[in-house]
Amino acid sequence: MGPLLDALRALGGSAKPQEVSRWIARELGLPPEITEATLKSGANRFHNQVQWARQYLVWQGLLDDSRRGIWTLSPLGWKTHLDEGAARTLFLDRVKIQQAERKQHATTETGVEPNTTDTELPEELQDLDLLDVLKSLPPYGFELICGRLLREHGFEEVEVTQRSRDGGIDGYGLLRLSPFVSLRVAFQAKRYKDVVARSAVGEFRNALLGRAEKGVFITTGRFTPDAEAEATRDGVVPIELIDGQQLIELFHDKLIGVKPKTVYEIDHAFFDEFRRDS
């Protein structure tokens, strides 16, 4: 939690989730065995942990969660610094609050006192269920839904190529940067359970030559550091990389295939005034 607050301060008070994770990994000098480990779903374990740290900071009022896809410090978060001990205390206090709320709710509903001994973080965010759905789609269906995603995010003239004639490119779109400038963009959409290697990014770039001015590689998996380096190599067609976690965020941002759900949390501070005897 402390490094997450430090990251947002260093990045100007707000940043995208992946930017935060990269900053923390770089500044703490985390080795690949930590930053590249995966959950059973194939999602990145380290980024999942960063997301949970973010959620606890939101509950504590240190982050503002009003803008989807952007993590922002609250005024309190700007001036709060957490060491490991303080973060652990914050976590345990929140666990106690949640246990009490679950116990009260279960007692009210069933009259039975529940077992509240489990204080471990869930291994995965519920949002990762969406990733499982995307992985279960047939290849062409995944390409079609990625075309829909690009269209929803501002691309024009989006078309998915015929499966037998794609030549390493799954579709095209036109991205208008201004009334005077536009880019022809090609995309590749691949369902990966694990990592995408540098070679896959290189093969996609070779397919782009003479056919598009920019590429977008979309996957349900994640990219190796070598693949990321290949995507941004100087002097060649640039490629944007969209991994599984970013893909989920893009679907959420435009509410594609998902429905918003309101969850009410008790504001205990509100009731303090009413707990006084006189």
Side-chain angles (χ1 to χ4, degrees):
M1 298 182 197
L4 196 158
L5 292 174
D6 294 339
L8 287 174
R9 273 189 288 267
L11 294 169
S14 65
K16 293 185 177 182
Q18 292 289 346
E19 293 175 325
V20 174
S21 290
R22 284 195 293 267
W23 189 96
I24 294 173
R26 182 180 67 250
E27 293 299 315
L28 298 186
L30 300 180
E33 52 265 31
I34 291 179
T35 59
E36 297 183 19
T38 60
L39 299 167
K40 292 179 181 179
S41 66
N44 183 274
R45 180 183 294 276
F46 170 64
H47 186 60
N48 180 262
Q49 292 173 330
V50 175
Q51 287 179 303
W52 272 108
R54 175 259 180 191
Q55 183 59 64
Y56 278 83
L57 293 174
V58 168
W59 284 330
Q60 199 67 15
L62 301 178
L63 296 187
D64 178 3
D65 67 342
S66 61
R67 186 178 176 189
R68 181 178 292 276
I70 299 291
W71 295 358
T72 306
L73 287 170
S74 69
L76 179 61
W78 267 106
K79 60 185 180 181
T80 299
H81 296 264
L82 296 175
D83 59 19
E84 188 173 347
R88 180 67 177 170
T89 299
L90 187 156
F91 164 69
L92 292 176
D93 288 345
R94 174 55 56 176
V95 167
K96 291 178 182 178
I97 291 173
Q98 291 176 330
Q99 287 178 340
E101 290 174 355
R102 289 198 300 268
K103 180 178 179 180
Q104 182 180 15
H105 176 74
T107 302
T108 301
E109 293 294 326
T110 66
V112 178
E113 184 172 316
N115 180 3
T116 59
T117 59
D118 181 11
T119 62
E120 294 298 319
L121 283 173
E123 186 180 44
E124 303 176 34
L125 292 172
Q126 290 184 356
D127 293 343
L128 294 176
D129 290 341
L130 174 58
L131 197 59
D132 292 331
V133 172
L134 294 173
K135 289 178 181 178
S136 71
L137 296 176
Y140 191 58
F142 183 62
E143 294 168 12
L144 287 174
I145 202 169
C146 286
R148 165 74 178 272
L149 181 70
L150 291 174
R151 189 177 294 108
E152 293 281 353
H153 280 272
F155 282 75
E156 301 176 13
E157 300 178 21
V158 176
E159 61 172 322
V160 176
T161 57
Q162 296 184 30
R163 284 167 283 184
S164 60
R165 304 178 186 175
D166 63 16
I169 292 178
D170 295 327
Y172 294 94
L174 187 69
L175 181 60
R176 295 193 184 277
L177 303 180
S178 76
F180 307 100
V181 181
S182 61
L183 290 176
R184 181 168 168 79
V185 179
F187 71 89
Q188 188 171 81
K190 300 300 179 187
R191 301 163 305 143
Y192 278 78
K193 181 179 180 181
D194 199 4
V195 298
V196 180
R198 179 172 187 161
S199 59
V201 177
E203 290 171 3
F204 177 45
R205 173 176 283 114
N206 291 337
L208 293 175
L209 297 178
R211 303 167 74 182
E213 298 158 292
K214 189 175 183 62
V216 179
F217 198 129
I218 305 171
T219 181
T220 52
R222 57 192 179 87
F223 297 94
T224 65
D226 284 344
E228 293 176 349
E230 174 64 25
T232 56
R233 184 160 55 88
D234 292 337
V236 293
V237 178
I239 298 176
E240 294 291 335
L241 302 181
I242 306 296
D243 65 14
Q245 192 57 53
Q246 291 171 294
L247 190 58
I248 289 175
E249 292 164 5
L250 291 171
F251 270 82
H252 285 181
D253 187 47
K254 297 299 182 181
L255 296 179
I256 303 172
V258 295
K259 298 178 181 178
K261 179 179 180 181
T262 301
V263 178
Y264 292 95
E265 181 182 88
I266 297 175
D267 181 0
H268 292 277
F270 171 81
F271 293 96
D272 288 344
E273 181 67 26
F274 301 93
R275 292 192 175 97
R276 301 178 183 180
D277 293 334
S278 61

